[in-house]
Amino acid sequence: VNLLNPELLVAGGGLVEVSTSFLRKLEIRIKQKAFASATRNLHVSKAKLGNDAGFIGAALFCLESTKSK
């Protein structure tokens, strides 16, 4: 966060799916530990694809890599 200064951090995985307060706690912790200037506009959001994001990304990568050959 300090290096890239993102406006949006997208989190996915089991903890995000199970805990309703995880994202808020994560955002608070990041803002406590990172530089204030790096987190001023930061928002933490749940991945829309949830736990399937990695599988979908891997499948798309395979499809794209076979198209270019």
Side-chain angles (χ1 to χ4, degrees):
V1 171
N2 288 330
L3 180 62
L4 299 175
N5 192 15
E7 290 183 13
L8 178 64
L9 188 143
V10 180
L15 287 175
V16 174
E17 297 297 322
V18 174
S19 174
T20 56
S21 63
F22 178 76
L23 287 179
R24 184 68 190 135
K25 289 178 183 178
L26 177 62
E27 185 172 356
I28 290 168
R29 189 69 167 170
I30 290 170
K31 289 183 177 186
Q32 287 174 345
K33 296 292 183 178
F35 297 132
S37 59
T39 62
R40 187 171 293 121
N41 297 316
L42 178 67
H43 299 284
V44 178
S45 178
K46 179 180 172 182
K48 290 183 180 182
L49 297 176
N51 282 337
D52 295 337
F55 299 119
I56 293 169
L60 287 174
F61 177 77
C62 291
L63 287 173
E64 290 297 319
S65 65
T66 57
K67 283 183 182 179
S68 63
K69 289 185 178 182

